[in-house]
């Protein structure tokens, strides 16, 4: 829903660890087992290697003017060989009619659910019958007290060097260091995990997601930074320093390019965000490379033929927080994951799930 003429972007932050047995399909969370709103089970297999995909995130996403509860489930293969492979990801949508709610006959395509999500987040645990509140639910609107710092998980034992001493020449030291391709960053993580990742039964430690709204005044600093970057790029041979006669080279942000710089700067304005939601507002997505809008507009729902709309994205800040008690180190590596869903959120009685489209981007190296 538009607010002040501009659609809001909602941000997801990690909250405390949870008892997964207390959750239901109206709970937004990271990891755990999927809490289904329909009969049956959901444990998709990787399209690349066939391994069972653990749940990465579950997002309760009802739409305004819809008679349905609506939940999105994102899964990913954790086999290192499948990292940063789009076919190793999957997204499923499930819906169920809200009991006692009459159909309003209004199309959901013009009514994104962002307002509903925020309001539901504020109401978590506030039941009329004053039952025990679920852990991790939001009971106040103070975002600063709820945002957790993102910390890198503890790595295992590092590789050790073997030193061989020659009796004839004690001044010479031979160091046997494992050969690792340091130019491929995901490969560094893959070296650790590649030998011992089970193909099924992996469960990511579940945590609640706390929801906040992106500030309206936050783009100002980034716009100024981007203008400076463009000035350096366009006028790299001129003396932009205002004196001294020095020649400045054309430069990009230290992290890579304008897209990466914008992504990092936007995340830093709201530290700790791991997810962004803004249905049908693709301009709010943070990307590493330009999106092919012609291709995106050509995408169609495989069930009803309607076009797809951008709904949400997972940020690279989520990578270091995905942990499992049964495994050490990084479970999966990715740049950013964008979800595109049916613009009409099509559904019919008897359905259990409908698959949506994922677009994966890697970080520029």
């Amino acid at each position: 829903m538009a607010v002040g003429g501009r659609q809001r972007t909602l941000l997801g932050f990690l909250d405390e660890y949870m008892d997964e047995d207390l959750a239901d399909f109206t709970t937004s969370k990271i990891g755990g087992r999927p809490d289904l709103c329909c009969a049956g089970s959901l444990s998709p297999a990787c399209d690349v290697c066939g391994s069972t995909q653990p749940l990465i995130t579950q997002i309760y996403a009802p739409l305004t003017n819809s008679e349905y509860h609506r939940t999105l489930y994102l899964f990913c293969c954790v086999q290192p060989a499948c990292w940063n492979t789009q076919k190793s990801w999957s997204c499923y949508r499930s819906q169920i009619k809200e009991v006692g709610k009459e159909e309003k006959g209004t199309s959901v395509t013009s009514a994104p659910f962002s307002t509903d999500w925020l309001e539901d987040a504020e109401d978590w645990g506030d039941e009329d019958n004053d039952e025990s509140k679920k852990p991790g639910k939001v009971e106040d609107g103070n975002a600063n007290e709820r945002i957790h710092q993102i910390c890198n998980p503890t790595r295992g034992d590092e590789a050790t060097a073997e030193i061989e001493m020659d009796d004839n020449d004690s001044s010479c030291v031979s160091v046997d260091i494992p050969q690792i391709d340091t130019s491929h960053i995901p490969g560094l993580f893959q070296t650790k995990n590649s030998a011992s990742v089970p193909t099924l039964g992996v469960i990511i430690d579940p945590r609640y997601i706390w929801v906040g709204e992106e500030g309206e005044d936050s783009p100002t600093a980034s716009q100024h930074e981007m203008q400076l970057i463009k000035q350096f790029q366009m006028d790299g041979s001129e003396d932009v320093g205002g004196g001294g006669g020095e020649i400045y080279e054309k430069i990009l942000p230290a992290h890579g390019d304008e897209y990466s710089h914008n992504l990092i700067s936007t995340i830093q304005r709201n530290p700790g965000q791991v997810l962004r939601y803004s249905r049908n507002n693709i301009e709010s997505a943070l990307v590493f490379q330009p999106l092919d809008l012609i291709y995106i507009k050509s995408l169609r729902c495989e069930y009803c033929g309607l076009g797809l709309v951008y709904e949400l994205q997972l940020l690279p800040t989520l990578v270091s927080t995905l942990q499992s008690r049964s495994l050490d180190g990084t479970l999966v590596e990715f740049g950013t994951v964008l979800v595109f869903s049916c613009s009409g959120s099509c559904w019919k009685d008897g359905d259990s799930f409908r698959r949506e489209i994922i677009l994966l981007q890697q970080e520029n190296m």
Side-chain angles (χ1 to χ4, degrees):
M1 179 179 293
V3 178
R6 184 171 63 89
Q7 185 170 321
R8 299 188 299 179
T9 297
L10 301 180
L11 308 179
F13 302 88
L14 290 184
D15 210 325
E16 63 188 44
Y17 287 96
M18 60 182 290
D19 180 349
E20 61 191 81
D21 293 332
L22 295 179
D24 59 29
F25 65 85
T26 65
T27 300
S28 293
K29 66 178 185 177
I30 296 294
R33 295 182 176 89
D35 303 299
L36 306 179
C37 58
C38 61
S41 61
L42 183 58
S43 54
C46 175
D47 289 341
V48 179
C49 71
S51 300
T52 300
Q53 298 174 324
L55 179 71
I56 299 298
T57 184
Q58 169 182 302
I59 302 297
Y60 178 58
L63 298 175
T64 303
N65 298 322
S66 172
E67 61 178 330
Y68 288 95
H69 293 285
R70 179 175 179 271
T71 304
L72 298 172
Y73 304 89
L74 275 71
F75 299 84
C76 178
C77 181
V78 294
Q79 298 299 320
C82 296
W83 289 0
N84 277 303
T85 303
Q86 187 162 304
K87 290 184 177 181
S88 69
W89 285 81
S90 59
C91 175
Y92 292 85
R93 167 173 50 90
S94 188
Q95 300 183 186
I96 187 172
K97 284 187 179 180
E98 184 176 347
V99 177
K101 187 171 183 179
E102 297 180 357
E103 185 173 359
K104 301 190 177 188
T106 303
S107 171
V108 299
T109 57
S110 60
F113 95 120
S114 57
T115 302
D116 293 351
W117 195 30
L118 188 58
E119 290 174 352
D120 287 342
E122 293 171 348
D123 292 339
W124 276 344
D126 294 336
E127 300 293 341
D128 294 338
N129 58 8
D130 196 27
E131 295 178 354
S132 298
K133 294 184 174 69
K134 297 179 181 179
K137 303 298 187 181
V138 175
E139 299 176 354
D140 60 73
N142 190 345
N144 292 329
E145 295 180 1
R146 307 293 294 176
I147 298 175
H148 296 276
Q149 295 293 328
I150 301 297
C151 300
N152 291 325
T154 303
R155 303 295 183 193
D157 296 336
E158 300 294 332
T160 58
E162 297 181 0
I163 302 178
E164 299 179 357
M165 302 297 294
D166 190 339
D167 295 336
N168 296 328
D169 187 358
S170 59
S171 63
C172 297
V173 178
S174 175
V175 181
D176 185 10
I177 300 177
Q179 298 300 312
I180 298 176
D181 181 7
T182 58
S183 65
H184 180 54
I185 302 302
L188 299 179
F189 299 108
Q190 179 175 340
T191 302
K192 176 176 177 55
N193 284 351
S194 59
S196 59
V197 179
T199 58
L200 54 83
V202 176
I203 299 176
I204 295 172
D205 298 339
R207 298 177 68 172
Y208 286 109
I209 294 178
W210 179 82
V211 182
E213 184 179 354
E214 189 170 41
E216 294 183 358
D217 57 350
S218 59
T220 304
S222 179
Q223 290 174 354
H224 176 65
E225 291 169 354
M226 297 306 294
Q227 289 174 354
L228 292 177
I229 293 167
K230 290 180 179 179
Q231 180 180 356
F232 274 108
Q233 290 178 320
M234 296 174 62
D235 305 323
S237 61
E238 298 180 6
D239 178 14
V240 295
E246 295 180 85
I247 303 300
Y248 286 79
E249 296 180 357
K250 296 182 180 181
I251 65 169
L252 289 171
H255 192 260
D257 57 21
E258 293 185 24
Y259 289 95
S260 297
H261 177 73
N262 180 59
L263 184 147
I264 293 172
S265 299
T266 303
I267 291 176
Q268 287 177 341
R269 289 198 296 271
N270 293 275
Q273 60 177 294
V274 297
L275 181 150
R276 296 171 64 86
Y277 186 99
S278 188
R279 181 175 166 86
N280 206 14
N281 182 21
I282 198 170
E283 291 81 8
S284 68
L286 302 177
V287 294
F288 287 107
Q289 301 95 31
L291 293 171
D292 186 344
L293 298 181
I294 295 178
Y295 167 73
I296 290 173
K297 290 180 180 179
S298 71
L299 295 174
R300 292 290 180 267
C301 174
E302 64 177 283
Y303 304 96
C304 70
L306 287 177
L308 304 183
V309 296
Y310 163 75
E311 184 146 357
L312 63 90
Q313 76 174 123
L314 303 182
L315 298 171
T317 48
L318 181 62
V319 170
S320 64
T321 69
L322 297 175
Q323 303 178 43
S324 174
R325 296 181 182 90
S326 61
L327 293 171
D328 293 329
T330 302
L331 292 183
V332 65
E333 185 79 18
F334 62 86
T336 185
V337 178
L338 293 87
V339 175
F340 294 85
S341 59
C342 175
S343 58
S345 196
C346 64
W347 196 256
K348 68 178 187 296
D349 292 341
D351 284 345
S352 295
F353 307 101
R354 294 206 164 183
R355 187 162 179 165
E356 302 291 11
I357 299 297
I358 279 181
L359 180 62
L360 176 69
Q361 285 193 344
Q362 299 185 40
E363 182 178 357
N364 296 322
M365 295 296 180

